[in-house]
Amino acid sequence: MNNTWTQRWDDRYKSEEFAYGEDPNNYLKEQIEKLEIGSILFPAEGEGRNAIFAAKLGWKVSAFDISEEGRNKALLLAENNNVSIDYQVGELETLDFQEEQFDAIALIYAHFPASIKSEIHKQLNQLLQKDGIIIFEAFSKKHLEYVTKNEKVGGPKDIESLFSIEEIKADFPNYEIIELEEKEIELNEGLFHNGIGSVIRFIGRKK
């Protein structure tokens, strides 16, 4: 990832207000409460709203992002909520995670650059234990129509960075599909996710 990409996210996260709010994503909240508590990884976690929610439930939480500003906000949010998380900054292959370290991985709007997004998914697969769970929600390719009409809903504006059901099946072939759907939802998350959008939702169990 280049410096322009990193700078973009540092700029978004450096203001005092939380870009996507302090409350967890609704789908993450709904799904994580069904699981037995264990260890969980949050890739591209930004300002930490989902990681902090998991920590408050008792999970052992790890997270990473390329943005130092995101990490700073996340650690402040953790302190304000009297929890602690392991939050690393950098690209995945440079970070200190072990194979089969986690019981769950939560990919919530983890829109990596199009050229590497599938490779990141494959790397993350190595970090999940057998029978571990992926929780995934991100914008679908159909979302391009929505963000063109309403920029406030957020999300990438290039179709290659958006997801399809076929891509998820290809990136996670060794998973039992518990849920996989494309769905229109209404978002109300902070400053940058507001309005109707189209998402892919996926719950998978590693075989």
Side-chain angles (χ1 to χ4, degrees):
M1 277 180 263
N2 59 37
N3 289 338
T4 306
W5 185 259
T6 305
Q7 190 62 52
R8 173 191 171 190
W9 292 106
D10 277 340
D11 288 346
R12 176 155 293 187
Y13 295 144
K14 69 184 179 185
S15 65
E16 188 174 335
E17 195 162 356
F18 280 72
Y20 301 101
E22 297 180 37
D23 295 326
N25 169 265
N26 286 336
Y27 189 62
L28 179 277
K29 183 174 184 290
E30 172 190 312
Q31 295 301 324
I32 198 173
E33 289 178 338
K34 298 175 183 178
L35 302 179
E36 186 177 336
I37 290 169
S39 58
I40 188 168
L41 176 64
F42 288 87
E45 176 53 8
E47 299 164 310
R49 62 195 176 105
N50 297 309
I52 272 60
F53 177 75
K56 287 168 71 175
L57 293 178
W59 286 78
K60 181 180 181 182
V61 175
S62 297
F64 70 89
D65 201 283
I66 55 168
S67 171
E68 280 286 356
E69 297 287 352
R71 179 179 185 271
N72 292 341
K73 293 275 277 297
L75 295 183
L76 175 64
L77 190 61
E79 185 180 340
N80 290 343
N81 283 275
N82 299 308
V83 295
S84 62
I85 60 173
D86 167 39
Y87 194 125
Q88 299 182 40
V89 174
E91 296 183 33
L92 178 55
E93 62 270 18
T94 70
L95 303 179
D96 185 25
F97 299 123
Q98 309 302 315
E99 285 196 10
E100 300 187 353
Q101 180 176 343
F102 298 102
D103 300 303
I105 296 176
L107 287 153
I108 305 298
Y109 297 96
H111 285 277
F112 297 98
S115 60
I116 62 170
K117 64 179 187 177
S118 286
E119 182 57 35
I120 296 279
H121 287 168
K122 288 165 187 171
Q123 291 175 30
L124 289 170
N125 173 61
Q126 301 299 314
L127 304 181
L128 191 64
Q129 295 178 11
K130 184 178 182 294
D131 295 323
I133 295 290
I134 293 271
I135 303 172
F136 179 101
E137 180 176 277
F139 292 115
S140 78
K141 293 191 184 297
K142 193 185 291 184
H143 183 70
L144 205 54
E145 302 167 22
Y146 293 81
V147 73
T148 302
K149 294 174 187 170
N150 172 26
E151 289 198 358
K152 290 182 179 178
V153 73
K157 295 176 183 174
D158 63 298
I159 199 158
E160 292 82 9
S161 295
L162 299 166
F163 293 98
S164 68
I165 284 176
E166 291 71 27
E167 282 180 331
I168 296 302
K169 286 180 177 177
D171 285 357
F172 300 102
N174 56 325
Y175 284 72
E176 173 196 348
I177 296 172
I178 298 169
E179 179 172 279
L180 178 57
E181 65 173 347
E182 185 171 13
K183 187 171 185 176
E184 182 181 276
I185 66 168
E186 183 168 3
L187 286 159
N188 181 17
E189 299 184 324
L191 302 172
F192 292 99
H193 276 176
N194 291 285
I196 305 293
S198 177
V199 300
I200 300 290
R201 287 175 164 177
F202 169 54
I203 304 295
R205 186 187 308 278
K206 186 177 176 181
K207 294 178 182 175

